[in-house]
Amino acid sequence: MAPLLSIKNLSIQFNHDAEWSTAVTGSSFEVAAGELVAIVGESGSGKSVTALSVLQLLPKQALVTGDILFRQHDTVNLSNVSDRALRNIRGNKIAMIFQEPMTSLNPVFTCGYQVMETIRLHQRVSKKTARQKTITLFDKVQLPNPEKIISRYPHELSGGQKQRVMIAMAMSCNPALLIADEPTTALDVTVQKTILELIKSLQTENNMGVIFITHDLGVVADIADKILVMYRGEIVEQGHAKDILLSPKHPYTKALLACRPAGQPKGKPLPVAADFLGHGAVPETKPPDRKNQFPGPVSANPLPATVLTVENLAVHFPEKKTWFGKAKTFVKAVDDVSFSVQQGDIVGLVGESGCGKTTLGRSILQLVKPTSGRIVLDGKDLTTLDPASLRILRKDLQIVFQDPYGSLNPRLTIGEAILEPLQVHAVLANNKQRKEKVMDLLEKISLSSNHYNRYPHQFSGGQRQRICIARALALNPSFLIFDEMVSALDVSVQAQVLNLLLDLRKEFGFTAIFISHDLSVVHYTCNRILVMYKGKIVEAGDADQVFYSPQNEYTKKLISAIPGKAITQSS
């Protein structure tokens, strides 16, 4: 049988200020009905641009050449199809799940309305039927309380829940071809596993072709039938998934497999893409040594001092209120949590979205006021400090957020952004000395002084995250919180940022809490691990102990959901 989709000699160029730049060069591949084809590569490799060209979603500045043949009943060349025919295909015969659900969902309509609108547009059914089908879809993608979610707006849902709404919308018309553009990036590993299994089951059930775009080979290790690896706009390797994963031929494919922190020895730098692409020989990788403990902080004291103590901390948010505005019921985001952090440690805080880990981190920084409990940092109870005293103490408390672009002012150059906290806290004698410090920090995060006057949008996601780290370190804080700082990064960029973090930790000697939903990243990075579930700490201990000998069922569930374990074991 002829393939469902055939792409032949696809090339894509963009015109900017009368200059042409090439995004994709001479790409050819096929997708059969009932086949899942994974396109893997880093940001800028051309994988998303290739997917967008299928539905003609590229901007007018794009020049697309080659053939994109879609065969369901008749053969249609999507590269020159009419707008009317394209409208009938989009969302109906070919559906797409985008990476960022918040920009894909309309903030002024409820989630249920937006899915029902898609169903009624293409299937011509009643509102009642569309509503029932939407509830069924929400249940299938494991959204909690589908009857309630249907009436909620996008801003009322977590990132993972919004992505599941997008998946339900894409599946609503039973498309022949589904294009999933990084649909599980930044999702919890357990949710990611569920979504992957869902897409795979729907593919099999409906004999649906799937193009699955990702930067992590581990994500598609268990679901892909065929894998295409893209690098700088070209397909450098393609073939059966098992062949690619177990016997990669191209150095870039080998780099993508080696950069993943899962199974890597603790305390040793992660391999990065340059190790493979910059040299003729591929560096050897040894199996993980489980006895190799993460190096502790350099200190003259055999027993490090306790820097942070959290005692019986609770953070409750009102859920329902009376007519008079008095809270009737509460959501216990953080529920009677106690732990301590020693000087120089990096403590991992792990759990799924909604478990309370980010709320806990922000309450430590007093960005969220606790309902009860104590937070003692260097002998001072932060919950009892007045605003003026807390403002002085903030110099020693810093946070690096998940979204680096949202953390940086787009109107300030990155040099000004790093310089700003130095001015606010009057660090150093004058701006000349402060600028010199900023230049030094830029060098430490592998940027140059030439980048001082560039704006955030001129950098990649990984570079922006490094800039945020430099900004947080500008005041030489004693305590840092890293909130999901590598969850949305390419695996090779993630490796670079984690290596940078551990290097800076040795140089600056800070203490930190590292928040993540990925236990493999936390295990590699941290000394100790705290596992959080429904507002409570359900397991705590040494990183190796928790990772290799978990006691709690929830911890075991998180570990079993880590993608690409077969790759780690085979390597």
Side-chain angles (χ1 to χ4, degrees), residues 413-415 442 446-455 459 463:
T413 67
I414 61 114
L442 288 175
S446 302
L447 295 177
S448 71
S449 56
N450 295 331
H451 293 111
Y452 185 96
N453 292 315
R454 294 188 186 180
Y455 290 88
F459 295 89
Q463 288 174 323

Side-chain angles (χ1 to χ4, degrees), residues 253-553:
T253 312
K254 296 176 181 179
L256 291 179
L257 288 168
C259 291
R260 302 170 66 250
Q264 296 289 351
K266 289 172 64 64
K268 295 183 179 180
L270 290 169
V272 295
D275 296 334
F276 294 82
L277 298 170
H279 308 283
V282 176
E284 294 183 2
T285 55
K286 297 181 180 180
D289 179 7
R290 296 186 181 184
K291 296 181 180 179
N292 183 12
Q293 298 295 315
F294 192 90
V298 179
S299 173
N301 301 319
L303 294 176
T306 299
V307 174
L308 175 73
T309 302
V310 175
E311 297 178 354
N312 307 113
L313 188 69
V315 181
H316 298 169
F317 296 109
E319 186 179 34
K320 292 182 180 180
K321 295 183 179 181
T322 65
W323 284 100
F324 300 101
K326 186 177 180 181
K328 242 182 3 177
T329 59
F330 294 87
V331 174
K332 296 181 179 180
V334 179
D335 189 10
D336 194 25
V337 166
S338 299
F339 66 93
S340 61
V341 181
Q342 274 63 51
Q343 185 177 6
D345 277 356
I346 299 183
V347 175
L349 186 58
V350 183
E352 297 175 287
S353 298
C355 72
K357 59 186 187 296
T358 295
T359 301
L360 173 57
R362 295 190 180 198
S363 65
I364 291 171
L365 296 175
Q366 297 299 289
L367 299 176
V368 174
K369 286 295 180 183
T371 305
S372 61
R374 300 176 70 229
I375 302 169
V376 181
L377 181 73
D378 291 330
K380 298 177 183 178
D381 188 351
L382 303 185
T383 62
T384 62
L385 292 181
D386 60 85
S389 301
L390 187 61
R391 196 175 302 115
I392 295 171
L393 193 63
R394 287 202 185 280
K395 177 177 176 291
D396 294 320
L397 284 168
Q398 293 294 313
I399 184 170
V400 179
F401 294 100
Q402 177 177 354
D403 177 14
Y405 195 71
S407 307
L408 295 169
N409 189 331
R411 295 188 177 186
L412 294 181
T413 67
I414 61 114
E416 293 169 337
I418 300 173
L419 183 73
E420 186 180 40
L422 296 172
Q423 294 174 322
V424 170
H425 291 276
V427 176
L428 301 176
N430 52 56
N431 277 343
K432 181 180 178 182
Q433 293 181 8
R434 293 172 190 138
K435 187 170 182 178
E436 288 174 356
K437 183 176 177 65
V438 173
M439 296 294 191
D440 182 56
L441 282 168
L442 288 175
E443 296 290 341
K444 281 181 168 58
I445 62 170
S446 302
L447 295 177
S448 71
S449 56
N450 295 331
H451 293 111
Y452 185 96
N453 292 315
R454 294 188 186 180
Y455 290 88
H457 73 272
Q458 296 175 287
F459 295 89
S460 68
Q463 288 174 323
R464 284 197 290 264
Q465 196 59 281
R466 280 184 272 163
I467 292 163
C468 289
I469 294 173
R471 191 173 193 267
L473 290 174
L475 298 172
N476 294 323
S478 60
F479 195 89
L480 280 158
I481 292 179
F482 300 100
D483 188 5
E484 297 276 15
M485 62 177 250
V486 296
S487 61
L489 299 180
D490 297 330
V491 286
S492 62
V493 178
Q494 174 182 268
Q496 292 171 12
V497 173
L498 291 177
N499 287 342
L500 172 68
L501 171 63
L502 299 183
D503 288 342
L504 292 173
R505 177 227 184 178
K506 293 176 184 176
E507 180 174 346
F508 288 86
F510 55 76
T511 305
I513 290 178
F514 189 96
I515 298 172
S516 177
H517 61 260
D518 190 339
L519 250 174
S520 63
V521 172
V522 168
H523 170 251
Y524 171 79
T525 309
C526 304
N527 306 72
R528 293 175 56 237
I529 295 176
L530 308 175
V531 182
M532 202 165 181
Y533 179 62
K534 292 185 176 180
K536 292 181 178 292
I537 302 293
V538 296
E539 185 162 0
D542 173 80
D544 277 355
Q545 174 193 334
V546 172
F547 192 75
Y548 292 118
S549 303
Q551 303 301 308
N552 187 271
E553 289 302 318

